[in-house]
């Protein structure tokens, strides 16, 4: 019998009765009946209590939005090892988004090349383990705000060498692409993951898409999810987040099992495409 997945939910600004009704309906219809949800109070007190008890037997935490509070920042303060953590988000048909840099809103700032390569590699691994993508294809956005196709100084000196080095390490990553042209031409449909240079650039793209945006802390000791969305129906937000977190927990368990004794294979690269053999 499959062990129940335990998820802690901090209410944020939501009413407990509304979220409990969603959970009860799912149980009554035998949907997610292998998931056990524990609700914590709303507001800052409830959030801090959830932070304190998060690692006490829970597999995941869902932190519902709390006005004026940067919840991901609180997660990183709780686990100091996450100060430079990789955050993976999902939003509409963009699905998987990471940020190369969280440190500044300056579009021209990038960390050093080795750090970029490490984050791209971690992002690729996160997509494999959390979202069941065996060989995710990644796209890196340019630092330039212009759509003239010209590479900026940062692109030439940092991003392009970063992509080349990661590519040589057999990570399927391509770019840099002008984000304006890239999404306007629907080129993003050919990729599984997207690397933006910072939060400002990502927010511009995310703001164009409807749907629920869920942020995951990929390196936390447990799964942490914070829905960030313009949708006003809190019940829909909670239901979709619960589904997504349950999927991630299931995929992580499957990935861990499959990784114990993996079949030996090698990757080869031909014409900028990767094949396993």
């Amino acid at each position: 019998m499959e062990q129940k997945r335990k998820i802690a939910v901090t209410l944020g600004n939501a009413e407990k009765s509304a979220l409990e009704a969603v959970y009860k309906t799912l149980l009554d219809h035998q949907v997610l009946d292998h998931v056990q949800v524990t609700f914590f109070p709303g507001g800052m007190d409830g959030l801090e209590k959830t932070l304190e008890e998060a690692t006490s037997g829970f597999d995941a935490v869902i932190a519902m939005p709390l006005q004026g509070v940067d919840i991901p920042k609180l997660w990183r303060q709780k686990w100091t090892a996450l100060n430079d953590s990789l955050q993976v988000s999902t939003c509409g048909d963009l699905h998987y988004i990471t940020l190369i840099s969280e440190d500044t809103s300056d579009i021209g700032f990038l960390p050093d090349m080795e750090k970029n390569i490490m984050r791209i590699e971690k992002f690729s691994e996160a997509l494999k383990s959390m979202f069941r993508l065996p060989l995710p294809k990644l796209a890196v956005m340019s630092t330039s705000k212009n759509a003239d196709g010209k590479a900026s100084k940062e692109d030439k000196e940092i991003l392009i060498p970063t992509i080349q080095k990661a590519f040589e390490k057999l990570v399927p990553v391509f770019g840099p692409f002008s984000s304006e042209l890239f999404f306007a031409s629907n080129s993003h449909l050919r990729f599984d993951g997207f690397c933006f240079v910072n939060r400002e650039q990502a927010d511009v793209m995310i703001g164009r898409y409807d749907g629920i945006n869920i942020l995951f802390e990929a390196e936390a000791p447990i799964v942490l999810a914070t829905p960030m969305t313009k949708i006003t129906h809190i019940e829909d937000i909670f239901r979709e987040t619960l589904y997504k977190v349950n999927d991630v927990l299931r995929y992580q368990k499957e990935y861990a099992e499959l990784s114990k004794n993996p079949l030996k294979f090698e990757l080869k690269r031909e014409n900028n495409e990767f094949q396993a053999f």
Side-chain angles (χ1 to χ4, degrees):
M1 183 177 180
E2 184 179 6
Q3 186 176 2
K4 285 196 173 185
R5 302 181 186 104
K6 297 180 180 179
I7 300 176
V9 177
T10 179
L11 297 174
N13 292 325
E15 292 291 334
K16 183 179 180 181
S17 58
L19 302 193
E20 282 184 326
V22 171
Y23 179 52
K24 184 178 184 303
T25 299
L26 294 176
L27 292 180
D28 290 344
H29 289 83
Q30 296 184 335
V31 178
L32 302 183
D33 55 356
H34 53 284
V35 172
Q36 179 180 322
V37 172
T38 301
F39 292 97
F40 286 80
M44 274 302 299
D45 290 343
L47 181 59
E48 290 174 354
K49 181 176 176 62
T50 308
L51 284 169
E52 289 300 319
E53 300 186 18
T55 56
S56 302
F58 289 105
D59 300 301
V61 171
I62 295 175
M64 299 302 289
L66 184 59
Q67 188 173 4
V69 178
D70 187 343
I71 295 175
K73 183 177 180 180
L74 291 179
W75 293 142
R76 292 192 292 274
Q77 290 174 347
K78 170 64 177 177
W79 291 290
T80 55
L82 297 183
N83 284 334
D84 191 33
S85 67
L86 179 72
Q87 297 183 357
V88 182
S89 305
T90 69
C91 181
D93 66 353
L94 296 185
H95 296 305
Y96 313 112
I97 300 171
T98 189
L99 306 180
I100 289 179
S101 171
E102 292 268 5
D103 299 329
T104 177
S105 61
D106 180 3
I107 199 71
F109 172 85
L110 284 173
D112 62 68
M113 186 172 68
E114 290 303 319
K115 185 175 180 181
N116 289 333
I117 294 172
M118 180 184 67
R119 291 178 73 80
I120 289 173
E121 288 182 302
K122 287 181 178 180
F123 180 37
S124 180
E125 285 301 311
L127 295 188
K128 293 175 186 178
S129 65
M130 298 173 73
F131 300 105
R132 198 189 272 170
L133 290 168
L135 194 62
K137 191 175 180 181
L138 310 181
V140 177
M141 300 300 106
S142 168
T143 61
S144 176
K145 290 184 177 180
N146 300 319
D148 56 11
K150 295 182 179 179
S152 67
K153 179 181 178 181
E154 289 82 5
D155 285 355
K156 293 177 181 178
E157 295 181 358
I158 300 178
L159 270 191
I160 292 175
T162 292
I163 293 167
Q164 290 173 341
K165 289 290 185 182
F167 200 85
E168 289 170 4
K169 297 176 79 171
L170 297 180
V171 177
V173 56
F174 305 87
F177 301 102
S178 166
S179 57
E180 291 291 333
L181 294 174
F182 186 76
F183 289 94
S185 63
N186 287 328
S187 296
H188 64 286
L189 299 177
R190 297 186 288 111
F191 293 86
D192 301 301
F194 311 92
C195 299
F196 293 97
V197 295
N198 57 37
R199 182 178 294 277
E200 177 190 6
Q201 190 188 53
D203 286 347
V204 171
M205 293 298 109
I206 291 171
R208 297 181 179 183
Y209 289 82
D210 294 327
I212 294 175
N213 177 29
I214 302 170
L215 178 145
F216 291 96
E217 288 279 7
E219 298 174 43
I222 59 176
V223 173
L224 307 169
T226 304
M228 300 176 294
T229 176
K230 298 176 183 177
I231 295 176
T232 56
H233 300 293
I234 198 70
E235 295 89 346
D236 293 339
I237 296 171
F238 174 60
R239 184 185 297 106
E240 187 66 23
T241 308
L242 191 57
Y243 281 140
K244 185 70 73 173
V245 168
N246 178 64
D247 286 343
V248 167
L249 291 175
R250 180 159 54 91
Y251 296 158
Q252 285 184 322
K253 182 178 179 181
E254 291 175 358
Y255 187 78
E257 289 294 325
L258 292 172
S259 300
K260 286 181 180 178
N261 275 311
L263 293 173
K264 291 184 178 180
F265 74 96
E266 294 182 21
L267 289 177
K268 66 178 181 179
R269 193 178 69 209
E270 291 183 359
N271 300 322
N272 284 347
E273 294 295 336
F274 289 78
Q275 294 179 342
F277 68 98

